[in-house]
Amino acid sequence: MISLHPTQQQLHDFVEGNSAPAMALVISAHVDMCTQCQMQVAAMQEQASELAFKGEDDSPDFSSMLAGITQLPAAERIISEPVKAEIELDGRSFSLPRPLRRYVSKTGNWSHLLGKLWQAPVDLGPIGKANFIYMEKGGKVPEHTHRGNELTLVVDGEFSDGIANYDSGDFITMDGSNKHTPYSEADEGCLVFTIVDQPLHFTSGVARLLNPFSHLFFK
Amino acid sequence: MLVGIPLETKQNQAIKPKDCAEEMSSYLALVAEARCKISFAKVFGFFAPRLRSYALKQIGNEALAMELVQDTMSNVWQKAHLFNAEKGSPSTWIFTIARNIRFDMLRKQQNRKEDICSDDLWPVLCEQTADANEVSLDEQITLEQVGNLFDELPQKQRVVIEAIYVEGKSQQEVADELEIPLGTVKSRTRLALQRLKEMLKDHD
């Protein structure tokens, strides 16, 4: 059951095309999984279009543009090459929301992070540092806080973090004011997609050793 | 030939998009089925000036605004078969096409179009192409590896790193505790991190 959604303002910015790219990506992946937000987005798009096209100012002469456009051929119906819709780990495959599928080919190998934790980096270019993170049952990320913002989408499974419980499809935002210790007790473990704009900052025990290298981890 | 197709913009000004949704839907259907230029001219006459007003407000640049109108209406003409009246009104469809083009225009201006593509975010025209680019794998290390490498540090550096990163002490506290100058703590920290980084590199 999805209980965490983008805010109305975040959805509104998304519909208008004004979200930051990382935010737009995670929202679109959430919307792909969430029928409630799909309906909201459809309604917002309708409102936005009415507002955008409610009137016109004095316009230039469009006739040459019209003539030019109608000289163009109809678009060929492109049958798009199938994009891999799943990501695999240890013989298991996880179906991904559509907006993330493009990044399967940009995802590096899984590496064992700590104990029951796996990570595969996703190359998003300058948008942000993204990873798929898989927590096996009992897997735990050391307590950390965030120097920047962290956006997380639960792709498959459930996890908790000492603040709340999260289920597939949940949209989670974290910033420097949140300190948490994500772990999964679900039999099937939990796969999340996460984007951070700054490295994590580990706050307890031996995991602090990781701080000078946290840019190598949760990129 | 387009001679004689009127651009009925003046009479259109007061009409709201939803008031003519059905009419516009039927024109789009005729464009899709019969490449009907007269029907397209009706759609164009209604939406092109409105698109320009929207684009000017969003972008604030006349040339780019006209480019947005041009690209959006070209898509409407060329891909009218992708419009589905059951999914929404022509106005919403055209708005979403324009929104996507504007998003990509902004990314392109920042030379960052490749990172993310509007078709992925909002599958309005649903013509994605697979991107099979190979990417270099990022450096990967594990906590165990860091631990092992850590043990290889010279004793003096290890003590400093442990105090700062595991016990969470400040460099000044470490200096006081070990009764060494702050500058020494700083240089040991720097050397240790440098060394760990080199070891990580060699480790790959």
Side-chain angles (χ1 to χ4, degrees):
Chain A
M1 175 80 188
I2 299 176
S3 52
L4 294 170
H5 307 269
T7 63
Q8 290 295 303
Q9 185 60 47
Q10 284 167 336
L11 274 185
H12 189 260
D13 290 345
F14 171 71
V15 161
E16 297 271 358
N18 292 334
S19 313
M23 179 64 90
L25 180 62
V26 181
I27 291 181
S28 73
H30 167 82
V31 170
D32 193 64
M33 297 176 79
C34 176
T35 46
Q36 184 184 327
C37 286
Q38 281 162 23
M39 276 154 41
Q40 289 242 28
V41 163
M44 283 180 173
Q45 281 181 167
E46 201 184 312
Q47 282 168 11
S49 73
E50 285 296 320
L51 199 63
F53 300 149
K54 72 170 187 281
E56 55 189 86
D57 308 321
D58 283 340
S59 288
D61 181 11
F62 280 106
S63 50
S64 66
M65 188 191 284
L66 173 61
I69 288 174
T70 49
Q71 296 304 308
L72 298 170
E76 287 175 35
R77 299 195 181 200
I78 299 168
I79 298 162
S80 53
E81 290 175 52
V83 178
K84 211 169 170 219
E86 280 114 33
I87 190 161
E88 281 160 26
L89 171 66
D90 251 6
R92 286 191 60 192
S93 71
F94 300 90
S95 166
L96 295 178
R98 186 193 40 74
L100 299 183
R101 289 177 191 166
R102 187 164 113 96
Y103 299 102
V104 172
S105 64
K106 295 175 185 264
T107 299
N109 289 340
W110 286 101
S111 66
H112 217 163
L113 202 54
L114 324 152
K116 296 177 171 177
L117 214 58
W118 298 79
Q119 147 179 277
V122 183
D123 184 6
L124 291 186
I127 289 177
K129 306 298 183 191
N131 280 284
F132 284 106
I133 293 173
Y134 179 71
M135 293 172 246
E136 286 176 40
K137 184 178 182 182
K140 193 171 184 178
V141 183
E143 184 188 66
H144 61 271
T145 181
H146 308 92
R147 287 177 179 151
N149 298 301
E150 180 188 68
L151 294 169
T152 303
L153 178 75
V154 185
V155 177
D156 193 315
E158 297 162 36
F159 80 97
S160 307
D161 69 352
I163 301 171
N165 299 319
Y166 307 99
D167 204 347
S168 301
D170 272 339
F171 172 91
I172 307 159
T173 52
M174 291 277 170
D175 62 25
S177 63
N178 308 107
K179 193 193 271 187
H180 68 164
T181 312
Y183 63 94
S184 179
E185 287 297 336
D187 284 339
E188 296 291 297
C190 187
L191 177 72
V192 305
F193 176 77
T194 174
I195 303 183
V196 291
D197 56 10
Q198 293 275 315
L200 304 188
H201 189 73
F202 294 101
T203 45
S204 71
V206 74
R208 282 190 185 146
L209 253 183
L210 298 173
N211 283 333
F213 310 103
S214 64
H215 66 284
L216 294 180
F217 287 90
F218 297 95
K219 286 211 198 191
Chain B
M1 287 297 290
L2 283 160
V3 180
I5 298 177
L7 271 173
E8 301 169 19
T9 53
K10 290 289 170 275
Q11 306 92 294
N12 279 336
Q13 277 184 8
I15 302 172
K16 286 183 193 151
K18 64 180 172 200
D19 297 334
C20 60
E22 256 178 61
E23 189 188 346
M24 291 294 154
S25 290
S26 59
Y27 292 142
L28 284 175
L30 281 167
V31 173
E33 287 158 23
R35 313 305 309 152
C36 174
K37 291 184 179 178
I38 295 171
S39 297
F40 182 73
K42 299 271 193 189
V43 177
F44 186 94
F46 184 81
F47 283 106
R50 284 171 163 79
L51 268 169
R52 178 179 162 275
S53 299
Y54 161 76
L56 264 181
K57 270 183 218 122
Q58 296 286 323
I59 307 174
N61 172 309
E62 175 74 35
L64 286 175
M66 288 302 273
E67 195 183 318
L68 186 70
V69 178
Q70 165 93 38
D71 287 358
T72 305
M73 293 313 296
S74 298
N75 269 291
V76 172
W77 167 252
Q78 296 188 284
K79 297 175 182 172
H81 59 276
L82 293 173
F83 172 68
N84 179 350
E86 284 167 19
K87 284 191 184 166
S89 69
S91 154
T92 305
W93 187 59
I94 292 170
F95 169 79
T96 54
I97 294 172
R99 184 251 341 254
N100 286 17
I101 291 170
R102 178 178 149 259
F103 184 88
D104 288 338
M105 270 167 84
L106 289 174
R107 303 296 298 159
K108 201 170 155 189
Q109 279 180 333
Q110 298 164 340
N111 288 320
R112 286 172 175 180
K113 192 176 180 302
E114 299 307 314
D115 317 332
I116 193 164
C117 151
S118 64
D119 278 352
D120 290 337
L121 302 177
W122 304 281
V124 181
L125 297 172
C126 282
E127 287 181 353
Q128 295 149 303
T129 47
D131 189 345
N133 285 348
E134 285 293 312
V135 292
S136 63
L137 301 184
D138 288 306
E139 290 177 73
Q140 294 298 326
I141 52 167
T142 65
L143 184 56
E144 286 94 315
Q145 283 171 315
V146 178
N148 291 341
L149 298 174
F150 183 71
D151 287 339
E152 289 172 29
L153 285 177
Q155 165 78 12
K156 283 179 179 172
Q157 293 178 7
R158 205 170 69 211
V159 169
V160 172
I161 291 288
E162 223 161 32
I164 293 172
Y165 288 103
V166 182
E167 292 157 33
K169 289 178 182 147
S170 72
Q171 290 185 322
Q172 186 62 60
E173 282 169 336
V174 177
D176 294 345
E177 205 165 280
L178 299 177
E179 294 175 340
I180 51 175
L182 179 59
T184 308
V185 174
K186 284 185 175 166
S187 66
R188 282 184 192 169
T189 309
R190 188 170 44 79
L191 286 172
L193 293 182
Q194 207 174 347
R195 191 171 175 129
L196 280 170
K197 269 177 201 156
E198 276 162 22
M199 288 194 282
L200 286 169
K201 251 185 240 156
D202 296 343
H203 199 86
D204 281 344

